[in-house]
Amino acid sequence: MSEQIKQIALVDDHVLFRKGLAALISYFQGYNILFEAANGQDFIRQLEIYGLPDIALLDINMPEMDGYSTASWLHRNHPEVNILALSTMDAETAIIKMITNGAKGYVLKDAEPEELKMAFDEVLSKGYFYNELVTRKVMQSLSALSPGSKLSGFVKLTEREMEFLKYTCTEKTYNEIAAEMFVSPRTIDGYRNSLCEKLQLKSRTGLALYAVKHGIVNI
């Protein structure tokens, strides 16, 4: 039995890049470009014409409606669509914000074509794409509980640690989080180090993803 062709929606405001990427994806076995869009609003309009893709590949910086807003809208209205972020930005805050808005993977625009193809394959087969930005170890630890499960009975955290985890999902710096929580930056360092040790994670991205996966922060 032949494998069903998976449909990709490509959302990027740079026309030459978008056309080149569409041509590249057309060579990926098992995938087809359903449509291209210049921004989030254009994407939503075209959904009414072409229907839902299997994967929405979203740029972040776009006019009218950026990738964050588009991912959030899509996650709320069509959670069955798999969202992949495609960006030049490798900042931790950008990765966290896209993940907390519903993205299931994050690919840099300078990635090799093989990595993009792998991202498509893994997000469909495993639910997330793992790479150096969103590490396999982080995502495996997040997958330890079934979807919808809460933290209770898995790892015991204090109320302040839970509060800190919520702040990791924002764009605030650690110093700004300290001010919000009325503690010193050194105390925040303590929360971070303690949580990383408890949860066997290594980065703020991992902590933020953990908070999302376990219902500490709702998206």
Side-chain angles (χ1 to χ4, degrees):
M1 184 169 61
S2 62
E3 182 178 322
Q4 183 180 3
I5 301 297
K6 300 300 183 182
Q7 302 297 328
I8 309 294
L10 178 53
V11 189
D12 194 295
D13 62 316
H14 293 93
V15 178
L16 286 176
F17 174 82
R18 191 175 72 235
K19 295 295 184 184
L21 187 57
L24 171 67
I25 292 172
S26 70
Y27 286 101
F28 291 172
Q29 184 176 358
Y31 295 97
N32 177 64
I33 295 294
L34 181 62
F35 64 85
E36 300 173 32
N39 55 60
Q41 290 185 1
D42 187 25
F43 169 74
I44 292 171
R45 285 192 295 267
Q46 295 203 55
L47 285 179
E48 298 180 4
I49 301 171
Y50 297 100
L52 296 176
D54 296 290
I55 297 173
L57 191 59
L58 304 181
D59 187 18
I60 293 180
N61 289 326
M62 297 182 291
E64 296 187 47
M65 188 174 181
D66 65 15
Y68 302 125
S69 299
T70 306
S72 179
W73 181 91
L74 190 56
H75 184 71
R76 291 194 312 271
N77 291 277
H78 300 289
E80 67 272 29
V81 176
N82 296 286
I83 302 168
L84 277 174
L86 182 67
S87 178
T88 58
M89 297 190 296
D90 60 358
E92 208 170 47
T93 53
I95 299 169
I96 291 171
K97 191 169 181 179
M98 280 303 291
I99 295 294
T100 54
N101 277 296
K104 296 183 176 180
Y106 198 102
V107 182
L108 292 177
K109 287 187 175 182
D110 63 357
E112 294 292 334
E114 292 79 9
E115 182 175 339
L116 182 61
K117 172 63 161 57
M118 185 185 300
F120 291 166
D121 293 343
E122 290 201 359
V123 80
L124 290 172
S125 65
K126 300 178 181 179
Y128 282 95
F129 169 59
Y130 320 115
N131 59 4
E132 291 182 359
L133 296 173
V134 182
T135 67
R136 184 175 299 274
K137 182 175 182 181
V138 168
M139 296 310 300
Q140 284 175 337
S141 70
L142 295 179
S143 300
L145 294 183
S146 59
S149 296
K150 303 301 181 183
L151 193 63
S152 177
F154 184 58
V155 175
K156 297 297 183 182
L157 303 180
T158 67
E159 288 187 11
R160 293 296 270 174
E161 286 175 332
M162 297 273 280
E163 183 180 0
F164 172 73
L165 274 178
K166 293 177 182 179
Y167 278 116
T168 65
C169 297
T170 71
E171 295 181 82
K172 295 182 182 297
T173 67
Y174 284 128
N175 284 341
E176 289 171 338
I177 293 173
E180 290 283 342
M181 294 182 67
F182 300 102
V183 297
S184 69
R186 178 171 292 184
T187 300
I188 291 298
D189 289 342
Y191 290 150
R192 182 190 63 229
N193 294 338
S194 173
L195 283 166
C196 284
E197 183 176 352
K198 282 184 180 181
L199 305 177
Q200 297 186 330
L201 301 172
K202 293 184 178 180
S203 69
R204 179 170 177 170
T205 303
L207 292 172
L209 291 172
Y210 190 96
V212 172
K213 180 69 176 182
H214 296 296
I216 298 170
V217 172
N218 294 317
I219 60 173

